[in-house]
PDB file of all heavy atoms in Angstrom:
ATOM      1  N   GLY R  87     -37.940   5.766  40.047  1.00  0.00           N
ATOM      2  CA  GLY R  87     -36.795   4.933  39.665  1.00  0.00           C
ATOM      3  C   GLY R  87     -37.202   3.691  38.891  1.00  0.00           C
ATOM      4  O   GLY R  87     -36.508   2.666  38.930  1.00  0.00           O
ATOM      5  N   GLY R  95     -35.153   5.082  34.958  1.00  0.00           N
ATOM      6  CA  GLY R  95     -34.861   5.065  36.389  1.00  0.00           C
ATOM      7  C   GLY R  95     -33.446   5.473  36.743  1.00  0.00           C
ATOM      8  O   GLY R  95     -33.094   5.566  37.909  1.00  0.00           O
ATOM      9  N   LYS R  96     -32.638   5.720  35.760  1.00  0.00           N
ATOM     10  CA  LYS R  96     -31.241   6.059  36.057  1.00  0.00           C
ATOM     11  C   LYS R  96     -31.052   7.515  36.477  1.00  0.00           C
ATOM     12  O   LYS R  96     -30.075   7.862  37.129  1.00  0.00           O
ATOM     13  CB  LYS R  96     -30.362   5.783  34.826  1.00  0.00           C
ATOM     14  CG  LYS R  96     -30.131   4.299  34.570  1.00  0.00           C
ATOM     15  CD  LYS R  96     -28.975   4.093  33.608  1.00  0.00           C
ATOM     16  CE  LYS R  96     -28.471   2.667  33.606  1.00  0.00           C
ATOM     17  NZ  LYS R  96     -29.222   1.749  32.721  1.00  0.00           N
ATOM     18  N   HIS R 101     -32.406  14.499  37.384  1.00  0.00           N
ATOM     19  CA  HIS R 101     -31.799  14.359  36.051  1.00  0.00           C
ATOM     20  C   HIS R 101     -32.840  13.970  35.020  1.00  0.00           C
ATOM     21  O   HIS R 101     -32.524  13.338  34.018  1.00  0.00           O
ATOM     22  CB  HIS R 101     -30.686  13.310  36.085  1.00  0.00           C
ATOM     23  CG  HIS R 101     -29.695  13.591  37.161  1.00  0.00           C
ATOM     24  ND1 HIS R 101     -28.857  14.662  37.102  1.00  0.00           N
ATOM     25  CD2 HIS R 101     -29.463  12.996  38.350  1.00  0.00           C
ATOM     26  CE1 HIS R 101     -28.124  14.696  38.204  1.00  0.00           C
ATOM     27  NE2 HIS R 101     -28.477  13.704  38.980  1.00  0.00           N
ATOM     28  N   GLY R 114     -28.270  18.282  38.035  1.00  0.00           N
ATOM     29  CA  GLY R 114     -27.913  18.352  39.447  1.00  0.00           C
ATOM     30  C   GLY R 114     -26.813  19.349  39.728  1.00  0.00           C
ATOM     31  O   GLY R 114     -26.547  19.674  40.886  1.00  0.00           O
ATOM     32  N   ASN R 150     -24.659  33.403  39.957  1.00  0.00           N
ATOM     33  CA  ASN R 150     -23.366  33.770  40.536  1.00  0.00           C
ATOM     34  C   ASN R 150     -22.254  32.811  40.178  1.00  0.00           C
ATOM     35  O   ASN R 150     -21.117  32.986  40.616  1.00  0.00           O
ATOM     36  CB  ASN R 150     -23.481  33.888  42.057  1.00  0.00           C
ATOM     37  CG  ASN R 150     -24.419  35.007  42.438  1.00  0.00           C
ATOM     38  OD1 ASN R 150     -24.467  36.038  41.774  1.00  0.00           O
ATOM     39  ND2 ASN R 150     -25.199  34.807  43.480  1.00  0.00           N
ATOM     40  N   ARG R 151     -22.587  31.791  39.416  1.00  0.00           N
ATOM     41  CA  ARG R 151     -21.536  30.862  38.985  1.00  0.00           C
ATOM     42  C   ARG R 151     -20.905  31.354  37.683  1.00  0.00           C
ATOM     43  O   ARG R 151     -21.574  31.948  36.821  1.00  0.00           O
ATOM     44  CB  ARG R 151     -22.098  29.448  38.790  1.00  0.00           C
ATOM     45  CG  ARG R 151     -22.041  28.610  40.097  1.00  0.00           C
ATOM     46  CD  ARG R 151     -21.938  27.128  39.807  1.00  0.00           C
ATOM     47  NE  ARG R 151     -20.750  26.856  39.039  1.00  0.00           N
ATOM     48  CZ  ARG R 151     -20.676  25.998  38.031  1.00  0.00           C
ATOM     49  NH1 ARG R 151     -21.730  25.280  37.708  1.00  0.00           N
ATOM     50  NH2 ARG R 151     -19.551  25.837  37.369  1.00  0.00           N
ATOM     51  N   THR R 180     -30.367  27.680  51.250  1.00  0.00           N
ATOM     52  CA  THR R 180     -30.643  28.394  52.500  1.00  0.00           C
ATOM     53  C   THR R 180     -30.254  29.873  52.425  1.00  0.00           C
ATOM     54  O   THR R 180     -30.446  30.612  53.387  1.00  0.00           O
ATOM     55  CB  THR R 180     -29.811  27.783  53.653  1.00  0.00           C
ATOM     56  OG1 THR R 180     -28.425  28.064  53.428  1.00  0.00           O
ATOM     57  CG2 THR R 180     -30.008  26.282  53.748  1.00  0.00           C
ATOM     58  N   GLU R 251     -34.846  26.615  58.327  1.00  0.00           N
ATOM     59  CA  GLU R 251     -34.543  27.436  59.498  1.00  0.00           C
ATOM     60  C   GLU R 251     -34.105  28.849  59.125  1.00  0.00           C
ATOM     61  O   GLU R 251     -33.978  29.715  59.982  1.00  0.00           O
ATOM     62  CB  GLU R 251     -33.429  26.765  60.323  1.00  0.00           C
ATOM     63  CG  GLU R 251     -33.902  25.500  61.010  1.00  0.00           C
ATOM     64  CD  GLU R 251     -32.753  24.632  61.522  1.00  0.00           C
ATOM     65  OE1 GLU R 251     -31.682  25.181  61.814  1.00  0.00           O
ATOM     66  OE2 GLU R 251     -32.941  23.399  61.618  1.00  0.00           O
ATOM     67  N   TYR R 252     -33.850  29.053  57.877  1.00  0.00           N
ATOM     68  CA  TYR R 252     -33.305  30.331  57.414  1.00  0.00           C
ATOM     69  C   TYR R 252     -34.379  31.354  57.054  1.00  0.00           C
ATOM     70  O   TYR R 252     -34.055  32.437  56.587  1.00  0.00           O
ATOM     71  CB  TYR R 252     -32.423  30.082  56.193  1.00  0.00           C
ATOM     72  CG  TYR R 252     -33.118  29.219  55.164  1.00  0.00           C
ATOM     73  CD1 TYR R 252     -33.987  29.772  54.236  1.00  0.00           C
ATOM     74  CD2 TYR R 252     -32.968  27.817  55.186  1.00  0.00           C
ATOM     75  CE1 TYR R 252     -34.668  28.975  53.336  1.00  0.00           C
ATOM     76  CE2 TYR R 252     -33.647  27.021  54.281  1.00  0.00           C
ATOM     77  CZ  TYR R 252     -34.494  27.608  53.366  1.00  0.00           C
ATOM     78  OH  TYR R 252     -35.189  26.811  52.486  1.00  0.00           O
ATOM     79  N   THR R 310     -33.580  -4.024  36.301  1.00  0.00           N
ATOM     80  CA  THR R 310     -32.771  -4.985  37.056  1.00  0.00           C
ATOM     81  C   THR R 310     -31.453  -4.348  37.476  1.00  0.00           C
ATOM     82  O   THR R 310     -31.012  -3.366  36.874  1.00  0.00           O
ATOM     83  CB  THR R 310     -32.435  -6.229  36.215  1.00  0.00           C
ATOM     84  OG1 THR R 310     -31.580  -5.811  35.143  1.00  0.00           O
ATOM     85  CG2 THR R 310     -33.693  -6.869  35.653  1.00  0.00           C
ATOM     86  N   TYR R 327     -15.532  -2.203  30.614  1.00  0.00           N
ATOM     87  CA  TYR R 327     -14.956  -1.252  29.685  1.00  0.00           C
ATOM     88  C   TYR R 327     -13.776  -0.553  30.285  1.00  0.00           C
ATOM     89  O   TYR R 327     -13.807  -0.090  31.389  1.00  0.00           O
ATOM     90  CB  TYR R 327     -16.043  -0.238  29.296  1.00  0.00           C
ATOM     91  CG  TYR R 327     -15.977   0.119  27.864  1.00  0.00           C
ATOM     92  CD1 TYR R 327     -15.803  -0.867  26.913  1.00  0.00           C
ATOM     93  CD2 TYR R 327     -16.057   1.436  27.470  1.00  0.00           C
ATOM     94  CE1 TYR R 327     -15.743  -0.546  25.578  1.00  0.00           C
ATOM     95  CE2 TYR R 327     -15.998   1.774  26.134  1.00  0.00           C
ATOM     96  CZ  TYR R 327     -15.835   0.785  25.192  1.00  0.00           C
ATOM     97  OH  TYR R 327     -15.757   1.123  23.868  1.00  0.00           O
TER      98      TYR R 327
ATOM     99  N   ASP K  32     -24.201  27.423  52.219  1.00  0.00           N
ATOM    100  CA  ASP K  32     -25.217  26.899  53.135  1.00  0.00           C
ATOM    101  C   ASP K  32     -24.683  26.433  54.472  1.00  0.00           C
ATOM    102  O   ASP K  32     -25.246  25.516  55.074  1.00  0.00           O
ATOM    103  CB  ASP K  32     -25.970  25.716  52.478  1.00  0.00           C
ATOM    104  CG  ASP K  32     -26.682  26.148  51.212  1.00  0.00           C
ATOM    105  OD1 ASP K  32     -27.492  27.079  51.284  1.00  0.00           O
ATOM    106  OD2 ASP K  32     -26.426  25.553  50.146  1.00  0.00           O
ATOM    107  N   GLN K  36     -28.081  27.345  58.196  1.00  0.00           N
ATOM    108  CA  GLN K  36     -28.741  26.113  58.624  1.00  0.00           C
ATOM    109  C   GLN K  36     -27.716  25.056  59.023  1.00  0.00           C
ATOM    110  O   GLN K  36     -28.044  23.886  59.184  1.00  0.00           O
ATOM    111  CB  GLN K  36     -29.646  25.614  57.492  1.00  0.00           C
ATOM    112  CG  GLN K  36     -30.745  24.693  57.950  1.00  0.00           C
ATOM    113  CD  GLN K  36     -31.844  24.537  56.895  1.00  0.00           C
ATOM    114  OE1 GLN K  36     -32.780  25.311  56.836  1.00  0.00           O
ATOM    115  NE2 GLN K  36     -31.726  23.534  56.065  1.00  0.00           N
ATOM    116  N   ILE K  59     -22.878  30.723  45.233  1.00  0.00           N
ATOM    117  CA  ILE K  59     -22.537  29.470  44.540  1.00  0.00           C
ATOM    118  C   ILE K  59     -21.460  29.802  43.514  1.00  0.00           C
ATOM    119  O   ILE K  59     -21.731  30.064  42.358  1.00  0.00           O
ATOM    120  CB  ILE K  59     -23.773  28.865  43.856  1.00  0.00           C
ATOM    121  CG1 ILE K  59     -24.936  28.783  44.844  1.00  0.00           C
ATOM    122  CG2 ILE K  59     -23.454  27.471  43.295  1.00  0.00           C
ATOM    123  CD1 ILE K  59     -26.236  28.298  44.233  1.00  0.00           C
ATOM    124  N   SER K  60     -20.241  29.833  43.975  1.00  0.00           N
ATOM    125  CA  SER K  60     -19.109  30.312  43.160  1.00  0.00           C
ATOM    126  C   SER K  60     -17.900  29.466  43.506  1.00  0.00           C
ATOM    127  O   SER K  60     -16.953  29.935  44.129  1.00  0.00           O
ATOM    128  CB  SER K  60     -18.827  31.793  43.476  1.00  0.00           C
ATOM    129  OG  SER K  60     -19.959  32.596  43.245  1.00  0.00           O
ATOM    130  N   ASN K 125     -29.675   7.322  46.636  1.00  0.00           N
ATOM    131  CA  ASN K 125     -30.578   7.775  45.586  1.00  0.00           C
ATOM    132  C   ASN K 125     -30.389   9.232  45.211  1.00  0.00           C
ATOM    133  O   ASN K 125     -31.340   9.929  44.860  1.00  0.00           O
ATOM    134  CB  ASN K 125     -32.039   7.517  45.987  1.00  0.00           C
ATOM    135  CG  ASN K 125     -32.217   6.099  46.455  1.00  0.00           C
ATOM    136  OD1 ASN K 125     -32.501   5.850  47.610  1.00  0.00           O
ATOM    137  ND2 ASN K 125     -31.984   5.157  45.559  1.00  0.00           N
ATOM    138  N   GLN K 129     -24.720  12.675  39.995  1.00  0.00           N
ATOM    139  CA  GLN K 129     -23.973  13.907  40.268  1.00  0.00           C
ATOM    140  C   GLN K 129     -23.868  14.267  41.746  1.00  0.00           C
ATOM    141  O   GLN K 129     -23.375  15.337  42.089  1.00  0.00           O
ATOM    142  CB  GLN K 129     -24.614  15.088  39.516  1.00  0.00           C
ATOM    143  CG  GLN K 129     -24.496  14.987  38.000  1.00  0.00           C
ATOM    144  CD  GLN K 129     -25.255  16.095  37.299  1.00  0.00           C
ATOM    145  OE1 GLN K 129     -26.214  16.627  37.848  1.00  0.00           O
ATOM    146  NE2 GLN K 129     -24.847  16.431  36.092  1.00  0.00           N
ATOM    147  N   HIS K 130     -24.355  13.409  42.607  1.00  0.00           N
ATOM    148  CA  HIS K 130     -24.290  13.711  44.038  1.00  0.00           C
ATOM    149  C   HIS K 130     -23.830  12.521  44.863  1.00  0.00           C
ATOM    150  O   HIS K 130     -24.210  12.394  46.027  1.00  0.00           O
ATOM    151  CB  HIS K 130     -25.660  14.168  44.573  1.00  0.00           C
ATOM    152  CG  HIS K 130     -26.031  15.577  44.217  1.00  0.00           C
ATOM    153  ND1 HIS K 130     -26.477  15.931  42.978  1.00  0.00           N
ATOM    154  CD2 HIS K 130     -26.014  16.727  44.948  1.00  0.00           C
ATOM    155  CE1 HIS K 130     -26.744  17.233  42.960  1.00  0.00           C
ATOM    156  NE2 HIS K 130     -26.468  17.738  44.129  1.00  0.00           N
ATOM    157  N   ARG K 266     -11.781   0.931  38.938  1.00  0.00           N
ATOM    158  CA  ARG K 266     -10.782   1.171  37.895  1.00  0.00           C
ATOM    159  C   ARG K 266      -9.955   2.423  38.197  1.00  0.00           C
ATOM    160  O   ARG K 266     -10.495   3.521  38.324  1.00  0.00           O
ATOM    161  CB  ARG K 266     -11.451   1.307  36.525  1.00  0.00           C
ATOM    162  CG  ARG K 266     -10.447   1.311  35.384  1.00  0.00           C
ATOM    163  CD  ARG K 266     -11.134   1.327  34.032  1.00  0.00           C
ATOM    164  NE  ARG K 266     -11.933   2.529  33.899  1.00  0.00           N
ATOM    165  CZ  ARG K 266     -13.082   2.598  33.225  1.00  0.00           C
ATOM    166  NH1 ARG K 266     -13.575   1.537  32.631  1.00  0.00           N
ATOM    167  NH2 ARG K 266     -13.735   3.732  33.154  1.00  0.00           N
ATOM    168  N   PHE K 301     -29.817   6.280  39.758  1.00  0.00           N
ATOM    169  CA  PHE K 301     -30.819   6.693  40.735  1.00  0.00           C
ATOM    170  C   PHE K 301     -31.617   5.504  41.272  1.00  0.00           C
ATOM    171  O   PHE K 301     -31.924   5.438  42.457  1.00  0.00           O
ATOM    172  CB  PHE K 301     -31.770   7.693  40.067  1.00  0.00           C
ATOM    173  CG  PHE K 301     -32.990   8.016  40.886  1.00  0.00           C
ATOM    174  CD1 PHE K 301     -32.886   8.791  42.036  1.00  0.00           C
ATOM    175  CD2 PHE K 301     -34.249   7.536  40.514  1.00  0.00           C
ATOM    176  CE1 PHE K 301     -34.020   9.095  42.797  1.00  0.00           C
ATOM    177  CE2 PHE K 301     -35.369   7.835  41.274  1.00  0.00           C
ATOM    178  CZ  PHE K 301     -35.261   8.611  42.411  1.00  0.00           C
ATOM    179  N   SER K 302     -31.905   4.573  40.417  1.00  0.00           N
ATOM    180  CA  SER K 302     -32.797   3.471  40.792  1.00  0.00           C
ATOM    181  C   SER K 302     -32.178   2.653  41.932  1.00  0.00           C
ATOM    182  O   SER K 302     -31.035   2.197  41.837  1.00  0.00           O
ATOM    183  CB  SER K 302     -33.067   2.595  39.569  1.00  0.00           C
ATOM    184  OG  SER K 302     -34.264   1.873  39.749  1.00  0.00           O
ATOM    185  N   GLN K 305     -30.284  -0.641  41.461  1.00  0.00           N
ATOM    186  CA  GLN K 305     -29.085  -0.446  40.641  1.00  0.00           C
ATOM    187  C   GLN K 305     -27.981   0.213  41.447  1.00  0.00           C
ATOM    188  O   GLN K 305     -26.808  -0.140  41.335  1.00  0.00           O
ATOM    189  CB  GLN K 305     -29.425   0.387  39.401  1.00  0.00           C
ATOM    190  CG  GLN K 305     -30.395  -0.342  38.470  1.00  0.00           C
ATOM    191  CD  GLN K 305     -30.500   0.292  37.100  1.00  0.00           C
ATOM    192  OE1 GLN K 305     -30.327   1.499  36.948  1.00  0.00           O
ATOM    193  NE2 GLN K 305     -30.793  -0.518  36.096  1.00  0.00           N
TER     194      GLN K 305
END
Side-chain angles (χ1 to χ4, degrees):
Chain R
K96 287 196 165 84
H101 307 291
N150 296 324
R151 271 208 59 220
T180 68
E251 290 165 27
Y252 49 84
T310 66
Y327 219 44
Chain K
D32 299 304
Q36 202 164 273
I59 310 175
S60 302
N125 310 114
Q129 293 174 334
H130 284 77
R266 190 175 61 213
F301 170 71
S302 202
Q305 295 194 330

